[in-house]
Amino acid sequence: MSKAKLLVVEDDPNLGDILKEYLEMKGYEPTLCRDGEEGWNKFKKDKYDLCLMDIMMPKKDGFTLAKEIKKVQDDLPILFLTAKNQKDDIIEGLRIGADDYITKPFSMEELLLRVTAILRRTQKSQEVTQLKVYKFGDFELHYDEQILDGPKGKHKLTSKENELLRILAAEMNKLVNRSHALKQIWGDDSYFNARSMDVYLSKIRKILKDDPKVQIITVHGEGFKLIVGDA
Amino acid sequence: MSKAKLLVVEDDPNLGDILKEYLEMKGYEPTLCRDGEEGWNKFKKDKYDLCLMDIMMPKKDGFTLAKEIKKVQDDLPILFLTAKNQKDDIIEGLRIGADDYITKPFSMEELLLRVTAILRRTQKSQEVTQLKVYKFGDFELHYDEQILDGPKGKHKLTSKENELLRILAAEMNKLVNRSHALKQIWGDDSYFNARSMDVYLSKIRKILKDDPKVQIITVHGEGFKLIVGDA
DNA sequence: TCAGCCCGTTAAATATTGTTAACCCTAATA
DNA sequence: TATTAGGGTTAACAATATTTAACGGGCTGA
């Protein structure tokens, strides 16, 4: 796990130095630029994880720089450092495309919170963006969306149907222990919950009829299997 | 909930008195010291929640005092009061482990903001960090402005809609527990509040129809998920 | 083989959630 | 002070989800 690289564009030399020192101290790798033009040059040379920039800067303002950067690398998160007395319409304009903003004067702690929040979010979305999908036969179970996409159209599933089918699909062609599934979904293996599960199995089987290759078979006294035969 | 104890070390008698009086008025329990040495003695005698200190002081300067304090109690947050443009002082202070700084002259409101921010942060360290802009699908939620910017225009949100959507957006693609959201927004999980939340969910879903990739899924008996599908 | 349990299915009963509209405040305005 | 507009809550009703009940068929072991 290497340090996150931050592009810091700030023309106030005091604040710039403070930012750089502070962010370094907190385990980041900041590159400080004094104006928008320098920021643009650094951006072209290297790859960054996050960009912090002032709005009002000589040579090239933050708004312009942000737009240019977004054109090249749309997913680079940008955190604007804005002055409090900035006109509303400017703020309005720069909202588009900014991932966040913080108004001066701000505390270092506030800034750090923002930076970590953005990085956490973007890093997460790089990993977990993939919504879970299970495929079996002509079906696709979109678990996160609670949708079963089959050969005869999409079926909206209820939460319980969704959970149950996911367990079966995850163990495709393998036995799913009855009691195990019950504990997973209902928390405990009781008579009524078991009957409930049977009701849902029945509903799911109805949908699965859309593809004759797919069926749920019962292993008496043991559990169930989602089996996928050949064409 | 007792008053937070503040150790205030400031050699300027005018500023010191003003600080003490103001902080008392705001419900804190400040102890005023005139120099670093006195500050050190008070620190040893009592337990404090936060320390505000000047840097340039007779007998023992702020840096020295801060270092000594940190050696004994590393987690005591320190807020430095620095003269304007003393960049090196600020950096040095942050390096020592100050949690924040504020440059003189400052307004009392400004100071209060810092103090409350630090105390809030240290008292409940597991606070959810709050961004100002949340993006999901073709939407941008501008939390501060209570505006949801979508593919078919901007929607002004009421504060409840705003809060609710923020919670969902912060946990994008993940389950948000019903009761948790209720406690966050309404303070308690009661029948009528729950019904109220359902009303707001309905309103939000109407707006989210502007982008078919985005939807709020119900997990029966559990909570909700803001789902962002693929194109 | 047959009693008894296990399971499949359907339907009814409950519980939870979705939606709309009426109602109640409060704060701004005339 | 009366009026109004907006936000929030409550009420009422609709739609779904889940559980329970009821009935019947099938499997299994004595």
Side-chain angles (χ1 to χ4, degrees):
Chain A
M1 188 81 184
S2 68
K3 294 178 186 176
K5 298 190 67 171
L6 312 181
L7 183 61
V8 181
V9 194
E10 167 62 60
D11 67 310
D12 174 354
N14 281 329
L15 182 56
D17 288 344
I18 292 169
L19 284 174
K20 182 167 191 290
E21 292 279 345
Y22 182 73
L23 290 167
E24 252 165 22
M25 205 162 48
K26 292 298 179 182
Y28 296 103
E29 193 182 322
T31 303
L32 180 60
C33 309
R34 296 303 185 183
D35 58 59
E37 211 165 83
E38 197 187 333
W40 175 244
N41 290 329
K42 294 279 186 194
F43 166 74
K44 284 191 295 188
K45 274 212 200 72
D46 242 320
K47 197 179 170 308
Y48 294 92
D49 298 297
L50 168 64
C51 178
L52 317 182
M53 64 168 84
D54 195 4
I55 302 280
M56 292 207 289
M57 289 185 297
K59 292 192 185 167
K60 191 188 290 246
D61 69 287
F63 193 30
T64 310
L65 176 58
K67 278 198 281 192
E68 291 182 358
I69 286 180
K70 285 283 183 186
K71 237 180 261 174
V72 178
Q73 189 191 345
D74 184 53
D75 67 332
L76 177 62
I78 294 176
L79 172 58
F80 277 117
L81 318 175
T82 73
K84 198 164 204 163
N85 56 3
Q86 210 110 40
K87 281 254 163 96
D88 283 343
D89 53 353
I90 300 179
I91 303 274
E92 185 75 20
L94 64 82
R95 279 216 205 97
I96 315 301
D99 287 73
D100 204 358
Y101 56 94
I102 186 169
T103 50
K104 296 181 188 178
F106 49 81
S107 72
M108 288 297 118
E109 198 186 33
E110 247 178 287
L111 180 78
L112 186 65
L113 283 178
R114 286 275 161 48
V115 167
T116 52
I118 293 176
L119 288 176
R120 176 158 38 87
R121 196 187 54 180
T122 54
Q123 273 156 19
K124 200 193 305 169
S125 70
Q126 275 166 9
E127 304 158 9
V128 192
T129 273
Q130 224 75 330
L131 299 178
K132 285 184 197 115
V133 178
Y134 298 84
K135 296 183 183 179
F136 47 93
D138 292 341
F139 292 102
E140 279 184 5
L141 171 62
H142 298 267
Y143 176 73
D144 290 296
E145 300 172 74
Q146 299 196 168
I147 285 176
L148 178 58
D149 197 350
K152 296 191 180 169
K154 290 176 198 251
H155 299 261
K156 247 197 290 185
L157 302 181
T158 74
S159 311
K160 299 281 184 206
E161 291 166 349
N162 194 43
E163 292 293 333
L164 182 52
L165 189 49
R166 182 177 74 91
I167 292 178
L168 288 163
E171 305 286 320
M172 191 167 34
N173 292 325
K174 286 198 297 190
L175 181 79
V176 171
N177 180 270
R178 202 185 166 80
S179 170
H180 173 256
L182 275 166
K183 281 179 192 150
Q184 285 267 295
I185 302 172
W186 278 269
D188 78 332
D189 174 349
S190 71
Y191 172 76
F192 283 117
N193 288 340
R195 300 321 327 276
S196 225
M197 189 165 77
D198 288 333
V199 172
Y200 284 112
L201 275 167
S202 173
K203 290 180 178 174
I204 291 174
R205 283 201 247 240
K206 236 179 232 168
I207 301 176
L208 296 189
K209 285 204 175 84
D210 285 359
D211 177 359
K213 294 190 299 299
V214 176
Q215 56 177 324
I216 295 172
I217 63 164
T218 304
V219 181
H220 196 96
E222 295 286 328
F224 307 92
K225 261 194 242 185
L226 176 72
I227 58 173
V228 182
D230 12 57
Chain B
M1 188 81 184
S2 67
K3 295 177 185 175
K5 298 190 69 172
L6 312 181
L7 183 61
V8 181
V9 195
E10 169 61 60
D11 66 313
D12 174 354
N14 281 328
L15 181 55
D17 289 343
I18 294 173
L19 283 175
K20 183 165 191 288
E21 214 167 297
Y22 182 76
L23 290 168
E24 258 165 12
M25 197 174 67
K26 291 299 180 182
Y28 297 103
E29 193 182 324
T31 304
L32 180 59
C33 309
R34 296 304 184 182
D35 58 60
E37 211 165 83
E38 198 187 334
W40 175 244
N41 291 328
K42 294 280 185 192
F43 167 75
K44 283 192 296 186
K45 275 213 199 76
D46 244 319
K47 198 179 170 309
Y48 293 92
D49 299 296
L50 169 62
C51 178
L52 316 181
M53 66 168 84
D54 196 4
I55 291 182
M56 292 205 290
M57 289 184 297
K59 294 191 181 168
K60 191 188 290 245
D61 71 285
F63 290 146
T64 312
L65 176 58
K67 273 192 265 190
E68 290 181 0
I69 286 180
K70 283 285 182 187
K71 234 179 263 174
V72 178
Q73 188 190 344
D74 185 52
D75 67 332
L76 177 62
I78 294 175
L79 171 58
F80 275 119
L81 319 175
T82 75
K84 196 167 192 173
N85 291 331
Q86 294 298 100
K87 172 183 89 182
D88 294 335
D89 282 0
I90 295 169
I91 290 175
E92 179 64 20
L94 291 172
R95 182 167 290 143
I96 288 172
D99 288 75
D100 204 359
Y101 67 90
I102 187 167
T103 54
K104 297 180 189 177
F106 49 80
S107 71
M108 287 296 124
E109 292 96 300
E110 233 177 296
L111 179 77
L112 186 64
L113 279 179
R114 298 292 167 88
V115 168
T116 52
I118 293 178
L119 287 177
R120 177 163 26 91
R121 177 80 184 134
T122 51
Q123 268 153 22
K124 22 179 172 172
S125 54
Q126 262 309 55
E127 195 70 1
V128 180
T129 52
Q130 203 169 301
L131 297 175
K132 291 182 176 176
V133 180
Y134 296 84
K135 298 181 178 183
F136 47 93
D138 292 340
F139 292 101
E140 284 186 359
L141 171 63
H142 298 275
Y143 178 73
D144 281 357
E145 279 74 35
Q146 300 199 173
I147 286 176
L148 178 58
D149 196 350
K152 295 191 180 169
K154 291 171 200 261
H155 299 262
K156 244 196 292 182
L157 301 181
T158 72
S159 41
K160 298 282 181 193
E161 291 166 347
N162 194 42
E163 292 293 331
L164 182 52
L165 190 49
R166 179 182 74 79
I167 293 177
L168 288 163
E171 305 284 324
M172 190 168 40
N173 290 331
K174 286 201 304 190
L175 181 81
V176 171
N177 180 270
R178 209 185 159 81
S179 168
H180 172 257
L182 276 166
K183 282 179 193 149
Q184 287 268 301
I185 302 173
W186 277 270
D188 80 330
D189 174 349
S190 72
Y191 172 77
F192 284 116
N193 289 341
R195 298 325 324 278
S196 219
M197 188 164 78
D198 288 332
V199 172
Y200 285 110
L201 275 167
S202 174
K203 291 179 178 174
I204 291 174
R205 282 203 246 240
K206 237 179 231 169
I207 301 177
L208 296 189
K209 285 206 175 84
D210 286 358
D211 178 357
K213 294 191 299 300
V214 176
Q215 57 178 324
I216 295 174
I217 297 245
T218 305
V219 181
H220 195 101
E222 297 284 329
F224 306 93
K225 272 194 251 184
L226 177 71
I227 291 287
V228 182
D230 17 54

